[in-house]
Coordinates of all heavy atoms in Angstrom, one line a residue:
T72 N 81.9 119.3 101.6 CA 83.0 119.1 102.5 C 84.1 118.4 101.8 O 83.8 117.3 101.3 CB 82.5 118.4 103.8 OG1 81.4 119.1 104.3 CG2 83.6 118.3 104.8
Y87 N 100.6 83.3 116.4 CA 100.5 81.8 116.5 C 101.7 81.3 117.2 O 102.8 81.8 116.9 CB 100.3 81.1 115.2 CG 100.2 79.6 115.3 CD1 98.9 79.0 115.6 CD2 101.3 78.8 115.1 CE1 98.9 77.7 115.8 CE2 101.2 77.5 115.2 CZ 100.0 76.9 115.6 OH 99.9 75.5 115.7
N183 N 99.8 99.6 120.0 CA 98.9 99.6 121.1 C 97.4 99.7 120.7 O 96.5 100.0 121.5 CB 99.2 100.8 122.0 CG 99.3 102.1 121.3 OD1 99.0 102.2 120.1 ND2 99.7 103.2 122.0

Side-chain angles (χ1 to χ4, degrees):
T72 303
Y87 180 82
N183 56 3

